[in-house]
Amino acid sequence: MSCLGTATPALALVLLAVTVARVGAQGAALEDPDYYGQEIWSQEPYYARPEPEPETFSPPLPAGPAEEWEPRPQEPRPPKRATKPKKAPKREKSAPEPPPPGKNSNKKVVRTKSSEKAANDDHNVRVAHEDVRESCPPLGLETLKITDFQLHASTAKRYGLGAHRGRLNIQAGINENDFYDGAWCAGRNDLQQWIEVDARRLTRFTGVITQGRNSLWLSDWVTSYKVMVSNDSHMWVTVKNGSGDMIFEGNSEKEIPVLNELPVPMVARYIRINPQSWFDNGSICMRMEILGCPLPDPNNYYHRRNEMTTTDDLDFKHHNYKEMRQLMKVVNEMCPNITRIYNIGKSHQGLKLYAVEISDHPGEHEVGEPEFHYIAGAHGNEVLGRELLLLLVQFLCQEYLARNARIVHLVEETRIHILPSLNPDGYEKAYEGGSELGGWSLGRWTHDGIDINNNFPDLNTLLWEAEDRQNVPRKVPNHYIAIPEWFLSENATVAAETRAVIAWMEKIPFVLGGNLQGGELVVAYPYDLVRSPWKTQEHTPTPDDHVFRWLAYSYASTHRLMTDARRRVCHTEEFQKEEGTVNGASWHTVAGSLNDFSYLHTNCFELSIYVGCDKYPHESQLPEEWENNRESLIVFMEQVHRGIKGLVRDSHGKGIPNAIISVEGVNHDIRTANDGDYWRLLNPGEYVVTAKAEGFTASTKNCMVGYDMGATRCDFTLSKTNMARIREIMEKFGKQPVSLPARRLKLRGRKRRQRG
């Protein structure tokens, strides 16, 4: 008791001194016009729902005073240029749940006895002894699992550079002086700046990944920093290296992520990054991700309620090229009667572009059955779409075997094609970097540096120029616009993957398709190219705009997050005002997109589906992403059965290929397939439809499209024109049709000869 009585006044005096120091520091800060408090960035938006604050986890305090980090009254250290991070040494394979954040690390700290001893000397946090070599997954700054209200900073230059912008791979807006800039940037450059994450529960922290500021004009990044942890955000423990504070090597440029692993995992609720040096001509700016394993807390209802689980027994992991082929083979062996594996061509490096067909009669086109496709991986680093399609293939097979009525009907009434990886060369590059260390663009392009997404022929300009010259429809039709000859030449800058897709789409009469991309949460529909050449953003609708809007909304509205008005924007765009959909040209103009090419050159209505903010999420996030997108992927496929369908035949019942199907009031036609069958996507309503073909008399009908799922049958029988019949008869008997003007001239000449 006497010891306790002696220690208590001393502890009170220490706390009083700390409080006075803080008040003085705050007063000095308020006098500084460049100092901005974090409180102004933490105000809750009007749409946010209040979240329950979990109780603080505080281990018992030690007998002696705990170490508390306070700003040191010294001059800022002169900034030094960061050295190029060294390649990480190979580490031993550890038991894996969950897997490491990336295959390679730019910087790795090796555990030593002294660092472990130093960590054990700090009693404010616990050291994890089970397996200190095991890496933990990201907490979710990039995926937005960590909310804005869990991020705090000492100061910020302005709102657009607040702590909520300090997320790995976040992208700046076109105008960087707005609400959406590309990093957290401190209000001033000194050693008292920090950014922290509140994990809201005890977490075993294992590492930190940092980037510089995303900017077209400025070069800002942190070259070294300290790491501190806390259980209450007041008492902080600095990560040690032996007897001193450990200085972690930061970035040497602004885009390549750098990983630093803690020498010993630290268990706490809060983690703070304290920059120590920064780029010579720049400021303290950084983006980051924290690696950590949340500890189980069965008593906290808030966390249990928000944990996402799935009941589907699927292979939730990232698959390289070899593993992808093996998975396809396994699915084909499970469901040999409804699956077929084929390739549509090869990549620049010679990797085959494999596709999986799912149908009750794989390998053949059934008359009257529409063809649908999903494509993913046009950008090799947008990996989430690739894995979602591999999960979809497994799911369709399993549910068909389980006789799920919905899936059985979809498979038996639709010919489905799934191409998971259009750019396997790019994916292999991204896979080597890993889910967190590839940055924003590693593996995006093909091996020869081409962006497949805008590598298709620009048919929009050909159509619009012809319309401006009033040459339509005499010279340029409103559909099936021919590919320019220069594009088909061997010297054209066209990727092998692009040529393969074009040949694939010309061979198969696709009706509807979706290409899965990443980095955003939105569904984009054509046109993707603005019609006004001097603009970069302009709403440019197709003649089928009402249909495309419905198709986009069918995916977005069934996604768990796309239409949620309360969700945070991924980077800079707020798509919730259009219910998670956007016209491609009004977002950003792209010439030669797959969507525009598909609409103008084939019958296929193609949309771009951006499935997640994180292009390459950690595989621990795949179950949740699957739950986010599963229903949407199925609903979108079902839309291929909306509108009208039928056969165009001659009087003998033979199908007429290449017949034109026109809808009154819609300046875009489609054509029949080789067997004379067609599918025309339309919204519910009554339509006047005309079928015509060369040598046949046109036929017109009223076709009604209802609200129930299932296309309305609308068949046409065309009879041949009189001239076509005469030609058919003459050709049958080996004679040519008589030319009346030539016959008259011949008779006149005969009469003249008789008179003479």
Side-chain angles (χ1 to χ4, degrees):
M1 290 295 292
S2 61
C3 293
L4 180 61
T6 305
T8 302
L11 180 60
L13 289 174
V14 171
L15 293 176
L16 179 61
V18 169
T19 304
V20 171
R22 281 183 174 174
V23 171
Q26 290 177 359
L30 292 174
E31 293 175 2
D32 187 347
D34 294 331
Y35 190 97
Y36 296 90
Q38 172 61 25
E39 287 74 20
I40 63 175
W41 317 134
S42 302
Q43 294 179 0
E44 185 171 342
Y46 69 92
Y47 57 80
R49 294 181 180 176
E51 297 176 347
E53 180 70 12
E55 60 178 309
T56 305
F57 296 93
S58 299
L61 291 174
E67 180 182 352
E68 179 178 359
W69 181 84
E70 286 290 339
R72 285 181 284 182
Q74 63 182 37
E75 292 300 320
R77 178 180 303 180
K80 64 178 182 179
R81 186 176 299 276
T83 57
K84 188 174 181 179
K86 299 178 182 179
K87 190 174 181 180
K90 292 184 179 178
R91 70 178 188 182
E92 300 174 5
K93 224 170 177 180
S94 58
E97 266 315 310
K103 294 181 68 177
N104 295 329
S105 301
N106 296 72
K107 176 71 178 174
K108 182 175 291 186
V109 183
V110 182
R111 177 194 174 197
T112 61
K113 292 183 179 179
S114 59
S115 63
E116 181 178 356
K117 181 179 183 301
N120 283 328
D121 290 339
D122 292 316
H123 303 288
N124 196 33
V125 294
R126 296 199 295 253
V127 177
H129 290 284
E130 305 87 33
D131 183 3
V132 296
R133 300 293 293 177
E134 179 182 345
S135 294
C136 287
L139 289 187
L141 276 77
E142 184 175 7
T143 62
L144 307 184
K145 190 173 181 179
I146 296 294
T147 68
D148 288 352
F149 312 112
Q150 293 174 257
L151 299 173
H152 306 278
S154 53
T155 63
K157 283 188 176 180
R158 60 174 184 274
Y159 180 79
L161 293 169
H164 64 291
R165 301 297 294 177
R167 300 173 181 271
L168 189 72
N169 286 324
I170 203 165
Q171 301 296 294
I174 297 176
N175 302 314
E176 296 180 12
N177 257 345
D178 57 9
F179 289 129
Y180 304 112
D181 219 315
W184 161 68
C185 289
R188 55 188 184 186
N189 295 334
D190 58 41
L191 297 181
Q192 284 74 49
Q193 305 308 309
W194 49 262
I195 181 172
E196 74 180 38
V197 180
D198 176 6
R200 287 185 172 167
R201 63 194 296 182
L202 282 180
T203 302
R204 185 179 63 196
F205 298 113
T206 62
V208 177
I209 302 174
T210 59
Q211 275 178 315
R213 177 181 178 180
N214 176 251
S215 172
L216 294 174
W217 323 109
L218 301 173
S219 298
D220 299 317
W221 60 83
V222 170
T223 57
S224 67
Y225 58 89
K226 294 181 181 180
V227 176
M228 290 166 282
V229 293
S230 171
N231 283 338
D232 57 7
S233 78
H234 298 292
M235 308 288 283
W236 291 91
V237 173
T238 305
V239 174
K240 302 288 186 181
N241 184 17
S243 58
D245 295 347
M246 186 163 192
I247 305 295
F248 294 91
E249 184 178 348
N251 299 83
S252 58
E253 57 90 63
K254 57 187 176 183
E255 288 299 336
I256 298 178
V258 173
L259 166 67
N260 280 289
E261 292 186 336
L262 304 185
V264 178
M266 307 292 284
V267 176
R269 170 174 165 173
Y270 300 88
I271 185 168
R272 177 179 284 186
I273 310 302
N274 170 220
Q276 296 296 296
S277 62
W278 44 94
F279 179 56
D280 289 337
N281 300 319
S283 302
I284 296 178
C285 295
M286 67 188 311
R287 295 173 285 169
M288 66 176 185
E289 181 63 84
I290 304 297
L291 306 184
C293 299
L295 300 185
D297 181 21
N299 297 321
N300 195 313
Y301 170 75
Y302 172 75
H303 294 302
R304 286 187 285 114
R305 183 190 65 183
N306 288 277
E307 286 176 353
M308 174 59 63
T309 58
T310 181
T311 58
D312 296 328
D313 184 19
L314 307 175
D315 189 20
F316 293 105
K317 60 166 288 186
H318 288 298
H319 300 81
N320 60 23
Y321 184 76
K322 182 178 179 181
E323 293 167 340
M324 180 186 72
R325 288 188 305 169
Q326 182 62 30
L327 179 61
M328 290 180 174
K329 182 179 178 182
V330 169
V331 172
N332 180 242
E333 291 173 350
M334 286 179 59
C335 300
N337 295 329
I338 63 167
T339 61
R340 178 177 71 100
I341 303 172
Y342 66 101
N343 73 82
I344 68 169
K346 292 184 178 181
S347 69
H348 185 273
Q349 290 286 86
L351 299 179
K352 292 182 179 179
L353 308 178
Y354 284 107
V356 178
E357 178 190 342
I358 302 176
S359 171
D360 57 341
H361 292 88
E364 62 179 278
H365 170 72
E366 297 180 67
V367 177
E369 187 171 283
E371 310 250 3
F372 175 92
H373 74 249
Y374 272 131
I375 299 173
H379 295 147
N381 63 330
E382 294 173 6
V383 176
L384 178 55
R386 169 194 176 109
E387 296 304 331
L388 287 176
L389 292 191
L390 292 177
L391 292 169
L392 179 63
V393 169
Q394 301 172 62
F395 179 79
L396 292 176
C397 173
Q398 290 182 6
E399 294 301 303
Y400 185 86
L401 293 178
R403 306 310 293 172
N404 180 323
R406 182 186 185 189
I407 301 303
V408 169
H409 180 268
L410 181 64
V411 170
E412 292 182 349
E413 298 298 325
T414 319
R415 192 181 182 204
I416 303 167
H417 303 258
I418 296 178
L419 179 63
S421 186
L422 179 56
N423 181 9
D425 297 347
Y427 173 81
E428 293 302 306
K429 292 180 182 178
Y431 185 79
E432 290 176 4
S435 61
E436 311 305 320
L437 302 179
W440 188 249
S441 59
L442 179 65
R444 175 184 176 90
W445 299 276
T446 63
H447 185 76
D448 48 344
I450 296 176
D451 187 339
I452 298 177
N453 195 46
N454 57 359
N455 190 225
F456 293 84
D458 175 15
L459 304 181
N460 306 57
T461 303
L462 296 178
L463 174 64
W464 294 335
E465 287 179 351
E467 288 179 346
D468 293 340
R469 293 195 304 265
Q470 299 182 348
N471 288 339
V472 174
R474 186 170 59 88
K475 289 187 177 180
V476 178
N478 62 12
H479 69 292
Y480 271 50
I481 299 175
I483 298 175
E485 291 185 6
W486 67 263
F487 188 89
L488 301 174
S489 67
E490 294 183 0
N491 296 328
T493 307
V494 181
E497 297 86 347
T498 305
R499 296 188 189 276
V501 170
I502 292 176
W504 185 47
M505 299 187 71
E506 289 178 336
K507 179 180 179 181
I508 300 176
F510 290 117
V511 180
L512 177 63
N515 56 88
L516 273 55
Q517 302 189 42
E520 266 297 351
L521 263 178
V522 68
V523 182
Y525 54 89
Y527 288 123
D528 289 330
L529 179 65
V530 297
R531 184 155 187 170
S532 303
W534 59 88
K535 292 185 178 181
T536 58
Q537 293 176 316
E538 180 186 49
H539 183 71
T540 311
T542 66
D544 284 289
D545 188 60
H546 56 295
V547 178
F548 276 114
R549 284 176 178 270
W550 167 256
L551 293 172
Y553 183 71
S554 70
Y555 193 100
S557 62
T558 50
H559 190 279
R560 289 186 61 253
L561 299 174
M562 276 191 191
T563 56
D564 186 356
R566 297 175 293 110
R567 77 170 180 87
R568 184 198 187 281
V569 298
C570 290
H571 300 282
T572 63
E573 302 287 346
E574 295 187 28
F575 297 112
Q576 293 90 332
K577 59 186 177 182
E578 294 188 35
E579 300 292 343
T581 68
V582 66
N583 173 257
S586 67
W587 181 15
H588 56 261
T589 184
V590 175
S593 73
L594 172 58
N595 295 349
D596 291 0
F597 167 79
S598 178
Y599 182 68
L600 295 175
H601 185 67
T602 73
N603 288 340
C604 185
F605 285 33
E606 185 90 17
L607 292 86
S608 293
I609 303 170
Y610 293 79
V611 292
C613 300
D614 189 350
K615 292 182 176 182
Y616 195 158
H618 191 270
E619 64 184 38
S620 63
Q621 294 294 317
L622 293 180
E624 181 172 350
E625 294 294 353
W626 168 246
E627 289 296 320
N628 290 343
N629 289 275
R630 179 184 58 191
E631 180 65 16
S632 302
L633 290 167
I634 298 171
V635 167
F636 189 72
M637 286 191 289
E638 292 173 335
Q639 303 312 305
V640 77
H641 295 284
R642 184 173 295 279
I644 60 175
K645 67 177 182 179
L647 285 168
V648 179
R649 293 172 287 197
D650 61 18
S651 55
H652 301 291
K654 183 180 179 181
I656 302 175
N658 218 32
I660 298 174
I661 306 296
S662 303
V663 177
E664 187 177 279
V666 182
N667 188 27
H668 182 79
D669 304 333
I670 63 163
R671 300 201 182 193
T672 58
N674 291 334
D675 297 308
D677 47 350
Y678 77 92
W679 307 263
R680 181 56 162 98
L681 297 177
L682 293 169
N683 285 343
E686 186 175 356
Y687 299 91
V688 178
V689 184
T690 300
K692 55 188 176 183
E694 185 177 355
F696 293 87
T697 303
S699 176
T700 301
K701 283 186 177 182
N702 289 337
C703 302
M704 177 69 72
V705 178
Y707 288 90
D708 295 335
M709 186 58 67
T712 301
R713 189 69 182 251
C714 204
D715 296 330
F716 293 89
T717 300
L718 305 185
S719 49
K720 293 187 176 181
T721 62
N722 291 334
M723 181 56 69
R725 290 177 181 174
I726 292 172
R727 287 176 178 169
E728 184 178 347
I729 293 173
M730 298 297 288
E731 289 174 0
K732 183 176 181 180
F733 293 99
K735 297 182 178 180
Q736 296 297 323
V738 177
S739 174
L740 294 180
R743 184 174 178 81
R744 290 194 189 100
L745 291 174
K746 188 175 181 180
L747 290 173
R748 289 174 185 173
R750 186 181 299 172
K751 289 179 180 179
R752 291 193 190 98
R753 287 193 297 272
Q754 289 176 354
R755 291 172 185 171

